[in-house]
Amino acid sequence: MMLLVVLFGVWLNSASAAKLGVVQTEGGQVEGKSHKMGLFRSVDVFKGIPFADVPGMWEKPKPHPGWSGILKATKYRERCLQVTLLQTTTQGSEDCLYLNIFVPQGRKLSTSLPVMVYLFGGAFLLGASNDVAILGDSLYDGKEMADRGGVIVVTVNYRVGTMGFLSSGDARLPGNYGLWDQHAAISWVRRNIEAFGGHPDNITIFGQSAGAASVSFQMLSPYSKGLFRRAITQCGVALSPWALQTNPMALTKKIARKVGCWRSNEDEMLLCLKMSDPVGLTMAGKIDVMLILGKGVVMDLLELAPVIDGDFIPDEPSQLFHNAAQFDYLAGINSMDGHFFAGVDVPSINIKNATSVEQVRGLLAGLTKEKGAAAISSAYSIYSSNWGSAPDPAVVKKTVADIETDFLFLVPTQIALQLHANNTSGARTYSYLFNMKTRIPGFPRWVEAEHAEDLQYLFGKPFSTPLVYFPRHRTLSEYMIAYWTNFARTGDPSKGNSKVPVPWPAFTKNHQPYLNINNKITKSSISYNLRSYYVNYWTTTYSSLPSVRREEDEDDGGMKGEEKEN
Ligand SMILES: *[C@@H]1O[C@H](CO)[C@@H](O)[C@H](O)[C@H]1NC(C)=O
Ligand SMILES: *[C@@H]1O[C@H](CO)[C@@H](O)[C@H](O)[C@H]1NC(C)=O
Ligand SMILES: *[C@@H]1O[C@H](CO)[C@@H](O)[C@H](O)[C@H]1NC(C)=O
Ligand SMILES: *[C@@H]1O[C@H](CO)[C@@H](O)[C@H](O)[C@H]1NC(C)=O
């Protein structure tokens, strides 16, 4: 009895978890807020810590001058200036280089935790570290991952759109400002995270879509040597056809035209752009989906993107994998990553109307125009090879989604995995296919995992907003958090603090296993050689076809943009 009373007293005294309180960073002191997660468990949350000064327009980020007193880090700061989702106006600020930190605590203050730095997606055009609030919290709120996985989660802002990625393709306006911001943020984490209980030598960067391509660019840059240790790309790599702008000056001229800065003298044009209003420049970078309906593919609209600048990205991404060989790498895609894009390019796939052979060929023509007619017929014969004489309409529709998924996401990711595995000596490589059936109502039955559907599970939404999910979603969420945070802790997704349903075998030079991720992971969830028939087509047959020169490729003073507008 006595013992029980004593134990109860001890329990009362320590029922709340440890708290960090005020933390000293290089810029000054910061104080966050502790959130209770359970008995003896909490997460210290710091929102809006500056990792760089307010950046000059189209300049690299600069160190923050620091502050005196205690910075109350309890509110997210503004996103970087960008167009709104409907693109009718802009939101955000040029004063946007801030990050947020989520530190899990138990009875004692955490020390030497693995650190996971998240780069948001949004086509290099939109997005923020605290994007998409769902029932109060941001989609990227790090509390559940931090608490369940025992890792520090950091989410960071970076410049997007015209302010983040405009480039002249040379030293006058080198571009990649958004990538430099990401680099500055990761470097800040490396220098400061120990004070928050993190281990600076165990940083994993992870991201989705354009954020995944960003992670991939960070891995390939010579500036990242020794900066972090591991990387995860979800649905995007630097090799994705939408991730690199190869003709930045043509795009810059198009934007100059829109803001009244077009000049035949390029230096004068660039000077005019530099003196223009950032809001007008940001609006000029918007994409207009109406422009391509019936005469192109949506991928062509994703124009503001990283460039080969001879510095941060010194060469073609495929030539830089020796730089990535030092990092453990986990990469994958969603089974229907291309479904959204396919639905814009071939609207009939999502409605009752039949999808015709002409529509399939039209899509292939749009995606492969670099290679001309030979590519259309060879790709068509590959993708229709299992149709039979009278294909089920749903089979044709699903083929359209598969074509976009392969072209935009799956094939580039498989090549990146191979280049990584082939170059590494010691660092590990892991591959996955996320194929949980979509939760989006109204889609045809054949739709599996749509682009971005992985994120809600990774960030633990089925736990933080349990009413809108079922138990199977919590199972999946638990699996993903376990694999991801184990990987951050040990470099092996199956080893670490969290139990996983099956061991995930490594992807190597001669052996290409991948994990099928859904709520029913068993031994038979390991498959091999993901869509290798199609990967082989694009990497060998297709890539050896000669390119056909197109007039649009030439520097035409931005007339392409004007034609499109008319
Ligand atoms: C390693 O990476 C380089 C690019 O840096 C690439 O050209 C090469 O093919 C890769 N090596 C192997 C064995 O795949
Ligand atoms: C679907 O079919 C209807 C009736 O045949 C037609 O009016 C409509 O334009 C079609 N829609 C598409 C997207 O092809
Ligand atoms: C990686 O190496 C394997 C085995 O040598 C080879 O078959 C494959 O083509 C290589 N992949 C790349 C992208 O170089
Ligand atoms: C972090 O990295 C250090 C140095 O490489 C290593 O000794 C340690 O085990 C790692 N800690 C964790 C939690 O991964």
Side-chain angles (χ1 to χ4, degrees):
M1 187 63 200
M2 192 60 196
L3 183 67
L4 273 183
V5 170
V6 170
L7 282 179
F8 188 67
V10 169
W11 181 80
L12 272 187
N13 273 335
S14 52
S16 59
K19 268 195 204 80
L20 264 172
V22 175
V23 176
Q24 182 71 44
T25 73
E26 63 187 23
Q29 295 181 318
V30 297
E31 183 172 16
K33 224 170 158 174
S34 165
H35 290 256
K36 197 167 167 60
M37 301 298 289
L39 210 52
F40 310 113
R41 286 189 358 248
S42 70
V43 174
D44 279 315
V45 180
F46 299 81
K47 293 177 177 174
I49 301 179
F51 62 84
D53 203 355
V54 183
M57 192 198 271
W58 299 319
E59 289 173 9
K60 288 183 193 174
K62 301 176 287 243
H64 195 276
W67 56 91
S68 54
I70 299 172
L71 183 90
K72 290 277 178 209
T74 52
K75 271 220 240 10
Y76 287 121
R77 299 296 298 244
E78 276 196 273
R79 61 183 55 215
C80 292
L81 184 62
Q82 59 191 255
V83 292
T84 55
L85 196 57
L86 295 177
Q87 301 192 106
T88 49
T89 179
T90 62
Q91 60 178 335
S93 165
E94 288 174 273
D95 178 8
C96 64
L97 299 185
Y98 295 85
L99 51 73
N100 319 301
I101 305 179
F102 303 83
V103 187
Q105 302 292 1
R107 288 177 204 232
K108 280 193 269 168
L109 273 187
S110 302
T111 54
S112 286
L113 291 180
V115 183
M116 299 185 73
V117 180
Y118 185 70
L119 305 179
F120 63 83
F124 298 111
L125 191 69
L126 308 166
S129 61
N130 60 322
D131 217 1
V132 216
I134 295 175
L135 305 181
D137 269 339
S138 161
L139 172 60
Y140 311 139
D141 181 283
K143 289 199 290 289
E144 293 291 338
M145 261 187 100
D147 178 50
R148 290 169 187 277
V151 298
I152 293 182
V153 176
V154 182
T155 60
V156 311
N157 272 353
Y158 58 89
R159 280 171 285 175
V160 292
T162 319
M163 308 318 286
F165 291 98
L166 198 70
S167 168
S168 62
D170 55 32
R172 290 173 295 180
L173 194 67
N176 291 343
Y177 308 103
L179 297 185
W180 285 106
D181 293 344
Q182 296 164 0
H183 177 78
I186 302 164
S187 305
W188 187 97
V189 170
R190 183 165 179 95
R191 293 192 306 269
N192 291 279
I193 206 65
E194 199 159 8
F196 295 84
H199 195 310
D201 292 334
N202 290 328
I203 298 174
T204 297
I205 61 172
F206 69 124
Q208 181 265 349
S209 196
S214 297
V215 165
S216 185
F217 281 114
Q218 298 297 330
M219 295 174 75
L220 299 175
S221 174
Y223 284 87
S224 298
K225 193 162 196 289
L227 180 60
F228 50 91
R229 185 147 180 195
R230 311 190 162 105
I232 302 174
T233 60
Q234 301 172 222
C235 314
V237 289
L239 307 175
S240 305
W242 43 266
L244 190 73
Q245 172 52 259
T246 53
N247 193 355
M249 194 47 154
L251 173 61
T252 295
K253 288 181 175 176
K254 190 164 106 181
I255 286 179
R257 240 169 225 285
K258 290 195 187 165
V259 296
C261 277
W262 195 84
R263 308 279 188 278
S264 52
N265 180 313
E266 288 183 354
D267 287 337
E268 286 174 19
M269 181 185 76
L270 294 173
L271 193 64
C272 174
L273 283 169
K274 282 181 183 165
M275 295 187 314
S276 297
D277 170 33
V279 168
L281 287 163
T282 299
M283 278 312 286
K286 78 171 188 169
I287 58 178
D288 191 345
V289 174
M290 297 315 286
L291 285 181
I292 53 119
L293 291 183
K295 45 180 173 168
V297 285
V298 70
M299 179 189 78
D300 295 342
L301 298 174
L302 306 178
E303 295 184 298
L304 283 160
V307 294
I308 296 168
D309 60 4
D311 187 11
F312 198 76
I313 303 300
D315 201 346
E316 291 289 339
S318 64
Q319 300 303 310
L320 296 173
F321 275 75
H322 51 281
N323 292 328
Q326 62 190 304
F327 309 115
D328 294 315
Y329 183 40
L330 189 156
I333 59 139
N334 293 1
S335 56
M336 297 235 169
D337 259 332
H339 175 257
F340 164 78
F341 303 85
V344 178
D345 291 337
V346 186
S348 66
I349 66 164
N350 287 325
I351 58 176
K352 272 200 173 143
N353 298 28
T355 295
S356 66
V357 164
E358 287 65 44
Q359 289 171 334
V360 178
R361 294 181 75 96
L363 171 65
L364 289 169
L367 293 174
T368 66
K369 56 181 175 293
E370 190 192 321
K371 305 273 186 168
I376 304 173
S377 50
S378 72
Y380 182 78
S381 69
I382 292 285
Y383 280 95
S384 60
S385 62
N386 62 352
W387 282 3
S389 53
D392 179 339
V395 169
V396 177
K397 290 167 193 267
K398 181 170 180 294
T399 301
V400 169
D402 287 343
I403 290 170
E404 294 251 18
T405 300
D406 287 351
F407 192 83
L408 299 177
F409 301 99
L410 190 147
V411 174
T413 299
Q414 299 315 301
I415 302 172
L417 282 161
Q418 288 182 24
L419 286 172
H420 183 263
N422 290 6
N423 266 289
T424 140
S425 54
R428 279 168 285 196
T429 318
Y430 295 91
S431 168
Y432 73 84
L433 176 71
F434 176 88
N435 61 5
M436 183 74 170
K437 190 161 172 44
T438 185
R439 292 186 74 232
I440 303 170
F443 277 165
R445 277 213 227 168
W446 48 266
V447 179
E448 292 171 3
E450 173 64 89
H451 195 54
E453 278 195 285
D454 46 330
L455 293 173
Q456 58 194 318
Y457 304 105
L458 181 60
F459 285 97
K461 298 299 149 187
F463 295 107
S464 56
T465 52
L467 290 180
V468 292
Y469 291 92
F470 291 112
R472 65 173 183 277
H473 301 124
R474 282 181 276 282
T475 303
L476 170 57
S477 186
E478 193 186 306
Y479 291 165
M480 286 188 78
I481 292 173
Y483 282 123
W484 262 239
T485 58
N486 279 348
F487 175 76
R489 178 166 273 110
T490 68
D492 179 340
S494 314
K495 298 205 179 105
N497 290 11
S498 302
K499 248 183 60 192
V500 296
V502 294
W504 182 344
F507 181 108
T508 65
K509 200 170 171 160
N510 302 309
H511 192 61
Q512 304 189 355
Y514 64 93
L515 178 66
N516 288 280
I517 298 183
N518 51 53
N519 65 310
K520 288 183 184 150
I521 301 184
T522 64
K523 284 217 172 69
S524 55
S525 300
I526 308 295
S527 308
Y528 295 85
N529 305 321
L530 179 57
R531 284 177 75 76
S532 54
Y533 176 67
Y534 303 93
V535 175
N536 284 342
Y537 166 72
W538 292 106
T539 54
T540 55
T541 314
Y542 176 77
S543 66
S544 60
L545 292 172
S547 290
V548 293
R549 198 174 165 73
R550 288 177 301 135
E551 259 172 49
E552 295 153 82
D553 280 343
E554 282 158 36
D555 191 347
D556 61 358
M559 290 311 291
K560 179 183 166 198
E562 184 140 292
E563 276 163 23
K564 276 186 171 178
E565 271 158 33
N566 292 341

